[in-house]
Amino acid sequence: MVHATPARKHLAGRVHRYDAGMADDLQALLEAADGVMRRAHAPYSNFKVGAALRGADGTIHVGANVENASYSQAQCAEASAIGAMIAAGETRITAIAVVAERVERCPPCGGCRQRLSEFADPQTPVYLGRPGSEPLVTTLGELLPLSFGSDELNR
């Protein structure tokens, strides 16, 4: 069983600290994403999503989707988790997990794939599933082939 101890709370989201060498990192990420998914604010779509990002220092940053009556002002779970990660002072993602309440596997939308690519390498693992299940394991590069990034801006 994976045990997490809170490191500290941030305005942008909750941060959990896990031992970097933990063998059950995949399940720890899925559990963190599942826990925050349950707190999502999705009164319009009723489609709750949670995301967990492991930073380079081993900290797991979480975020949930936040809907708004002005639909275009909603924020995806992955964007919320990125905000929490940046607020905590981290800038690199080493693993990603996404959990949704109503579907078995919920890949990030196209916009979030691009957002994630700002902070993660194409080889970064992405886990899609639920805690205790066999998740789909892919990479950010497989989800976002031929991505546009800072290299293109520096040419």
Side-chain angles (χ1 to χ4, degrees):
M1 174 158 212
V2 176
H3 297 284
T5 57
R8 58 186 175 265
K9 290 187 179 181
H10 294 278
L11 294 176
R14 291 181 63 184
V15 177
H16 296 279
R17 181 84 178 143
Y18 294 86
D19 294 332
M22 210 172 253
D24 205 5
D25 186 54
L26 181 153
Q27 288 300 317
L29 281 166
L30 289 172
E31 288 172 8
D34 185 71
V36 74
M37 178 264 307
R38 296 174 189 285
R39 295 188 298 276
H41 179 73
Y44 307 105
S45 71
N46 292 312
F47 194 86
K48 293 183 175 188
V49 180
L53 312 174
R54 185 182 64 218
D57 69 354
T59 301
I60 294 178
H61 308 274
V62 298
N65 59 320
V66 180
E67 294 181 351
N68 187 286
S70 176
Y71 294 149
S72 65
Q73 298 305 308
Q75 182 163 307
C76 294
E78 297 88 343
S80 293
I82 289 169
M85 179 188 79
I86 295 300
E90 179 65 72
T91 59
R92 296 300 310 152
I93 298 171
T94 61
I96 302 161
V98 181
V99 172
E101 186 175 60
R102 294 176 26 197
V103 296
E104 188 63 32
R105 294 183 175 116
C106 183
C109 72
C112 283
R113 293 174 195 201
Q114 183 66 42
R115 286 179 188 93
L116 291 164
S117 74
E118 183 75 13
F119 305 101
D121 297 323
Q123 302 80 19
T124 301
V126 179
Y127 308 115
L128 307 172
R130 294 207 170 106
S133 71
E134 187 69 31
L136 172 67
V137 180
T138 187
T139 65
L140 187 56
E142 290 171 335
L143 291 174
L144 187 64
L146 301 172
S147 67
F148 180 86
S150 61
D151 288 344
E152 284 69 34
L153 297 175
N154 295 323
R155 291 182 186 195

